[in-house]
Amino acid sequence: MTVVGIDDTDSRERGMCTTYVAATIADRLRQEHGASVSRVLLVRLNPAVEYKTRGNAALAIHTDCDPARAFAIARDRLESLAETDDDRTNPGLVVADRVPEAGAIPADVRRFTRTAIRDHLEPAAAAALIERHEYRSWHAGDGRGRIGALAAIGSWTALEEWTYEYISYREPDRWGTPRDVTHESVFAAAEQGYPSVWDTVDRGEGETVCVPHTPGPILHGIRGDDPDSVRAVADRIESEPVAGGRLFVTNQGTDVHLRDGSIGTVENGRAYRVEGRVASEPETRRGGHVFVDIEPPAAEAADGDRSAERLTCAAFEPTKRFRDRVRALRVGDRITACGEVADGTLKLEKIAVRDLVRTERVTPICPDCERTMESAGRKQGYRCRDCETSAAERAEHPLERDLEDGWYEVPPCARRHIAKPLVRGGFDAPTHPER
């Protein structure tokens, strides 16, 4: 088996899409050279890296084509289609041959893949592995595209969980123009496919999430757990003519980017799952962004090391109604916070409420006249001057909460490609999915 890995062909402003480039390579291998393509992988890498273009996707094509011919075809497509006029676009190509059909990739390449999803790598690291294994390669610009191309090659055996996306493409003469998709048909198709097909629409915002707003060849992309289901939903959508489509096997919706972390040790440019106790009242700042601090649980904070520091978490305005969940937190609540860290702030993707504060301490009420007592002086408790009653300390009062224990997530319109929707299951507490 030959594996063709490609990355970094798109541009934030000019469009293009690496999935489209991969689809055209796969079609040319099959139609013009009689090769079979067993699968095309769409691999989302670390979403927190600063130098990504948009979704930080790399692609791998598994084929029985002769590696030299596959390399020539792929290079031709990259040179023709990559948006290299954008100096942030640095396409890369890597072709691995002599790969058993079972996908047994060398261990160091598999480690490289896992690192590319959770950490940072430099082009020199990719170049060294490519040379070590005598893979064919090509790149433009600074060579960064070979990082993703090599990571995509190692993904099939490096990762354990896979989902699917069926992407429909536009006719080339329509690229850059408004997409003509019937809004109602998308919502109807999404309803029929749910829950095995997810993040097609956002019902709370009335948004067709599967239809991109950026320039480029994609008409819509349907994600889910079953290949037949995503195809069926795509077929039900009424739209402008579809030029073609391709099923991708992908790590989207798996949370594979998250690593377990602790407060005080998280690093910028990585994504974490962190346990903590709410340490500040949530604050809504200019622009509608909501911030809240967490600190380690009491037992961890007693260690006296860096882990006792606070970590600021943020629910930014694009997360819409998720911000109300964050605003409902109170000091003392125990949560798990998930998201990437940038500038020392964890950008929330989802939270799990582990333990809610159910009471608050208030000034006691006089049992005789039912009026609020007054302070009797520093450390002297409270008293009612009229009734001469007293209380040694504040009273415990039941607290009504707008939250329940369990997981809460950002809505579909704000979800990262790689983040796992709650509807997919497998979480360690009750879930409150967003539709």
Side-chain angles (χ1 to χ4, degrees):
M1 182 176 71
T2 299
V3 184
V4 179
I6 66 171
D7 187 29
D8 203 7
T9 67
D10 58 341
S11 164
R12 293 181 184 181
E13 289 78 25
R14 297 174 181 273
M16 191 38 63
C17 176
T18 308
T19 70
Y20 178 78
V21 178
T24 64
I25 294 170
D27 288 344
R28 185 161 293 188
L29 289 171
R30 181 174 56 84
Q31 296 171 3
E32 298 182 17
H33 299 278
S36 65
V37 174
S38 54
R39 66 187 66 85
V40 181
L41 307 181
L42 193 173
V43 184
R44 297 288 178 179
L45 306 178
N46 183 355
V49 297
E50 296 179 357
Y51 40 78
K52 68 183 180 182
T53 46
R54 290 201 296 269
N56 207 15
L59 280 292
I61 303 161
H62 291 196
T63 178
D64 64 359
C65 184
D66 172 77
R69 185 179 297 275
F71 179 81
I73 293 168
R75 177 172 176 172
D76 173 73
R77 291 291 78 202
L78 263 69
E79 291 181 325
S80 299
L81 297 173
E83 288 288 351
T84 51
D85 287 342
D86 187 331
D87 58 10
R88 291 174 297 186
T89 300
N90 300 281
L93 164 67
V94 179
V95 174
D97 58 354
R98 305 183 304 277
V99 178
E101 182 57 37
I105 295 292
D108 53 1
V109 178
R110 298 199 302 271
R111 286 193 297 270
F112 185 91
T113 299
R114 290 189 285 267
T115 301
I117 293 172
R118 292 187 171 183
D119 215 315
H120 294 246
L121 290 162
E122 293 300 324
L129 274 183
I130 290 167
E131 182 177 359
R132 179 184 305 167
H133 295 293
E134 299 181 339
Y135 294 158
R136 293 174 172 84
S137 74
W138 168 88
H139 70 276
D142 63 11
R144 192 167 291 280
R146 291 198 295 178
I147 296 174
L150 183 60
I153 282 177
S155 64
W156 187 238
T157 48
L159 305 180
E160 297 179 355
E161 186 176 8
W162 297 94
T163 62
Y164 299 89
E165 179 169 9
Y166 189 83
I167 298 180
S168 299
Y169 295 103
R170 310 183 73 190
E171 295 179 333
D173 60 357
R174 291 178 178 266
W175 296 2
T177 66
R179 290 167 174 81
D180 182 8
V181 177
T182 305
H183 188 83
E184 294 77 12
S185 74
V186 180
F187 275 79
E191 186 65 28
Q192 288 184 286
Y194 191 82
S196 64
V197 177
W198 28 264
D199 286 0
T200 309
V201 300
D202 186 320
R203 297 192 174 278
E205 300 299 321
E207 184 175 333
T208 52
V209 177
C210 65
V211 181
H213 302 292
T214 54
I218 294 180
L219 181 59
H220 47 69
I222 309 301
R223 300 169 186 164
D225 296 309
D226 176 73
D228 293 332
S229 297
V230 294
R231 286 178 185 271
V233 169
D235 289 342
R236 293 189 185 105
I237 295 175
E238 300 172 8
S239 70
E240 64 187 55
V242 176
R246 165 67 62 174
L247 179 71
F248 296 89
V249 184
T250 176
N251 66 340
Q252 293 172 159
T254 63
D255 272 351
V256 70
H257 64 309
L258 295 177
R259 63 173 76 188
D260 291 331
S262 59
I263 296 169
T265 64
V266 298
E267 298 179 80
N268 291 330
R270 288 122 181 120
Y272 295 92
R273 186 185 297 105
V274 178
E275 305 293 328
R277 188 185 77 89
V278 176
S280 70
E281 294 295 337
E283 176 188 1
T284 301
R285 300 180 187 173
R286 184 176 181 179
H289 313 306
V290 181
F291 294 82
V292 64
D293 290 346
I294 61 173
E295 61 187 7
E300 299 174 18
D303 294 342
D305 58 19
R306 288 189 64 222
S307 66
E309 298 176 4
R310 289 187 177 188
L311 174 65
T312 297
C313 301
F316 290 102
E317 189 280 333
T319 63
K320 303 301 180 186
R321 53 199 183 273
F322 175 70
R323 294 172 296 164
D324 293 333
R325 307 300 190 186
V326 179
R327 290 188 185 103
L329 294 170
R330 295 183 68 105
V331 173
D333 290 342
R334 293 279 299 271
I335 69 169
T336 301
C338 299
E340 73 174 64
V341 176
D343 298 324
T345 297
L346 190 146
K347 300 156 68 173
L348 290 169
E349 296 173 4
K350 59 172 72 76
I351 59 172
V353 175
R354 303 298 188 183
D355 185 32
L356 288 169
V357 173
R358 297 290 184 180
T359 61
E360 60 181 341
R361 295 182 66 81
V362 299
T363 303
I365 302 296
C366 174
D368 294 340
C369 66
E370 298 185 349
R371 288 183 292 191
T372 302
M373 291 184 175
E374 299 175 352
S375 174
R378 188 169 182 271
K379 296 185 178 180
Q380 296 184 49
Y382 300 86
R383 67 182 179 181
C384 177
R385 296 181 184 274
D386 295 336
C387 303
E388 298 184 354
T389 56
S390 63
E393 57 186 7
R394 289 193 170 195
E396 292 281 345
H397 185 271
L399 186 63
E400 292 187 9
R401 302 300 305 271
D402 293 330
L403 290 173
E404 301 174 5
D405 289 350
W407 284 94
Y408 296 88
E409 64 185 350
V410 302
C413 68
R415 187 155 21 250
R416 290 196 175 281
H417 304 291
I418 202 169
K420 185 175 183 177
L422 298 181
V423 71
R424 294 201 64 226
F427 291 87
D428 59 357
T431 59
H432 308 280
E434 284 282 1
R435 295 190 63 187

